[in-house]
Every structure is written in structure tokens, then in C-alpha cells.
Amino acid sequence: MLRSGLGLLAACGASCLYDLGVAVQTLEARLVPVRHSLRPSLLGRLGRSRRWLGGTGLALLGWPLQVVALLLAPLTLVQPALALGLLLLLWLGVRLLGERVGRREIGAVLAIGAGVALMAWAAPGHTSAHAGTLALAAALGTLAIPALAPYLAPGRDRGARLIVVLAAGAAYAWTGVSSKLISDELARGNLPAALAWASATCAMAALGLMSEMTALQRRQATHVAPVVYVVQVVVPVLLAPVLGGEGWGSTPLGGGVVVGSLLMVAAGAAALTGSPAVASLIASPEEVPDRDHSEPLPARLVDD
């Protein structure tokens, strides 16, 4: 229980760093011309911004904490706990931007908090075992298909924009599973395998980042964030019994409490990321209602 508690604490820290990083990154992503979407030049342009690099640095600091969390607690608990960082964004939206907390926000906070608490109680024990090569290849290969889809068949209609959002979620879900594999190899003392998985995780994370930044260029943040969050939280947990050796059969109600907790966290995350109090931190100014937009744009924003 102590190990799981420490793992939950590490996951919460990782989540806060991830969400703060995304909030900062989004401010810059919307300033890059859309013609750079789904291209390495998008990250190249963003990489010139100190603010975007600062946000990326925050997110990078979160990843080691996530790996530490997976060394201590099961993936079934760690992945839903990554939604806890949204509570920090809600607090910042209220304190810094004067946004109001309504029934939607209160319900979302209660759903996330109760879901994570129930998951901490019901989740299976931690294990450093995982599935064999064929099962891993099949699962990760399947996740890689939607993650790569926008780059294989790019488009700009509404359906293509939705695919980009799903691609970001799928890529982050892939990294959630692979981070578990890194922790397993570290627990076994297999450093070369851990480094190999870390390299693959970095590559997929970069792909997910490019998809997410592209999605935030094309769609409102309130449409992007809920889908990305739900996919990256739900999919790794559903794969945990198959790939991570985390059997749910011995958990309360034969896995029923785990599934119910997961649905609560997913619903709360979707509601909270669509809330004005959170969207005001991750949206461009023109997306947030009732704001004074009279301040002129800096000259560098109209260079293209």
C-alpha cells in the first residue's frame, strides 16, 4: 500500500508538470502558420520560442516521474492518476484568470477524485511482468496505426482534423504502455532494453506532440483536449491486463470497480478539459468568451 501511495504521488507530480507544459506550449502553437501542420518544421518553428521550450521542459520533467510511478504502482492506477493535473489547471484558471467554478467543474472534480481514489483501492498489485514479443508487437502496432494515420494520408477536411486529434491520443497512449515497459526493464536491471524502449518512447512522444500541436492549430482546445485525455488515459488501462500482467479478476467485483473508476475519471477529464475555467489556459484568446481582446498582436505574429 505504501508503494502504491508513493507511486500515486509521483504520478500526480508528473501530471501537474505535463498539464502545465501543455498550457504553455499551446500559447505558441497557435502562432505558427497552419502550412507547417504535420511537418517537422512545426516543431522547428516552435523550438525557436523560449516559452514553448519552457513548456516542453516541464513536460519532459514529468516523464521520469511517470516512470518512477510505474516502478511503484500498477499501470491501472498510474494512468488514471495523470488526470489529477487537470485540477491544478482548474485552480490556475480560477486564481489567475478569475474564471468561475460551476456545477460542471464541481462534478468533474468529484468524478476525477473519486475515480482515482476508488482505483487506488481496487487496482491490482504492482508487477514488473509484461506480455511476450508477439503480444506487445500486435498491441503497440495497432496503436501506431492511428498515431501515424495523418502522416500517411494527410487532409484538411473535418474528418482529417478529427483523425489528427485521435492520432495525438493514440501516440500518448502508446507512450503510456511503453513507459510501463521501461519501468519493467529497469526493475529487472536490463538497462539496454530500458534504453531501447526509452528511445522508441521519445520518438512516439515527438510524433504525438506534433499531432497535438497541429490539432490545436486547427481546432478549438475544448475539442482537442477531452479526446486526447480520454484516449491516453483509457487505452493503456484497458491494455494493462493483457500486456502488463495486471489481472483484474481478483479485484473487487471481478474488475467492475476498476472499470467503473476508469469511466469516472474519463468522464471527469472530458468535462473538465471542456470547461471555460480550464480552456482559458489552453485556448487562444479568441476562443475564450467575454475577454478583452483589444491588445494588438506582436509584430512577430504576422510575419507570415
Side-chain angles (χ1 to χ4, degrees), residues 39 85 132 134 143 169 215 304:
R39 297 179 179 178
L134 289 179
L143 270 179
D304 292 283

PDB file of all heavy atoms in Angstrom, residues 39 85 132 134 143 169 215 304:
ATOM      1  N   ARG A  39       4.237  18.654 -40.015  1.00  0.00           N
ATOM      2  CA  ARG A  39       5.583  18.662 -40.595  1.00  0.00           C
ATOM      3  C   ARG A  39       6.610  18.908 -39.493  1.00  0.00           C
ATOM      4  O   ARG A  39       6.325  19.609 -38.525  1.00  0.00           O
ATOM      5  CB  ARG A  39       5.710  19.758 -41.664  1.00  0.00           C
ATOM      6  CG  ARG A  39       4.790  19.568 -42.858  1.00  0.00           C
ATOM      7  CD  ARG A  39       4.959  20.700 -43.838  1.00  0.00           C
ATOM      8  NE  ARG A  39       4.113  20.539 -45.006  1.00  0.00           N
ATOM      9  CZ  ARG A  39       4.039  21.418 -46.005  1.00  0.00           C
ATOM     10  NH1 ARG A  39       4.770  22.539 -45.954  1.00  0.00           N
ATOM     11  NH2 ARG A  39       3.238  21.192 -47.020  1.00  0.00           N
ATOM     12  N   GLY A  85      -3.693  16.303 -12.727  1.00  0.00           N
ATOM     13  CA  GLY A  85      -3.107  17.596 -13.062  1.00  0.00           C
ATOM     14  C   GLY A  85      -4.128  18.596 -13.564  1.00  0.00           C
ATOM     15  O   GLY A  85      -3.912  19.811 -13.504  1.00  0.00           O
ATOM     16  N   GLY A 132       4.633 -11.180 -23.920  1.00  0.00           N
ATOM     17  CA  GLY A 132       5.725 -11.534 -24.820  1.00  0.00           C
ATOM     18  C   GLY A 132       5.815 -10.625 -26.034  1.00  0.00           C
ATOM     19  O   GLY A 132       4.980  -9.734 -26.233  1.00  0.00           O
ATOM     20  N   LEU A 134       5.293 -11.056 -29.289  1.00  0.00           N
ATOM     21  CA  LEU A 134       4.217 -11.039 -30.276  1.00  0.00           C
ATOM     22  C   LEU A 134       3.030 -10.207 -29.788  1.00  0.00           C
ATOM     23  O   LEU A 134       2.462  -9.410 -30.544  1.00  0.00           O
ATOM     24  CB  LEU A 134       3.774 -12.461 -30.597  1.00  0.00           C
ATOM     25  CG  LEU A 134       4.760 -13.305 -31.419  1.00  0.00           C
ATOM     26  CD1 LEU A 134       4.208 -14.710 -31.650  1.00  0.00           C
ATOM     27  CD2 LEU A 134       5.041 -12.619 -32.764  1.00  0.00           C
ATOM     28  N   LEU A 143      -1.814   0.355 -32.064  1.00  0.00           N
ATOM     29  CA  LEU A 143      -1.873   1.742 -31.604  1.00  0.00           C
ATOM     30  C   LEU A 143      -1.112   2.687 -32.540  1.00  0.00           C
ATOM     31  O   LEU A 143      -1.484   3.854 -32.703  1.00  0.00           O
ATOM     32  CB  LEU A 143      -1.278   1.855 -30.197  1.00  0.00           C
ATOM     33  CG  LEU A 143      -2.210   1.685 -29.010  1.00  0.00           C
ATOM     34  CD1 LEU A 143      -1.429   1.813 -27.709  1.00  0.00           C
ATOM     35  CD2 LEU A 143      -3.339   2.693 -29.052  1.00  0.00           C
ATOM     36  N   GLY A 169      -3.823  11.347 -29.260  1.00  0.00           N
ATOM     37  CA  GLY A 169      -4.211  10.489 -28.144  1.00  0.00           C
ATOM     38  C   GLY A 169      -3.610   9.101 -28.258  1.00  0.00           C
ATOM     39  O   GLY A 169      -3.132   8.538 -27.257  1.00  0.00           O
ATOM     40  N   ALA A 215      -3.263  19.742 -34.108  1.00  0.00           N
ATOM     41  CA  ALA A 215      -4.684  19.750 -33.753  1.00  0.00           C
ATOM     42  C   ALA A 215      -5.084  21.062 -33.101  1.00  0.00           C
ATOM     43  O   ALA A 215      -6.165  21.603 -33.365  1.00  0.00           O
ATOM     44  CB  ALA A 215      -4.993  18.579 -32.825  1.00  0.00           C
ATOM     45  N   ASP A 304       3.945  35.928 -41.261  1.00  0.00           N
ATOM     46  CA  ASP A 304       3.552  35.105 -42.404  1.00  0.00           C
ATOM     47  C   ASP A 304       2.165  35.478 -42.879  1.00  0.00           C
ATOM     48  O   ASP A 304       1.496  34.690 -43.472  1.00  0.00           O
ATOM     49  CB  ASP A 304       3.584  33.617 -42.009  1.00  0.00           C
ATOM     50  CG  ASP A 304       4.988  33.123 -41.748  1.00  0.00           C
ATOM     51  OD1 ASP A 304       5.701  32.892 -42.719  1.00  0.00           O
ATOM     52  OD2 ASP A 304       5.365  32.976 -40.568  1.00  0.00           O
TER      53      ASP A 304
END
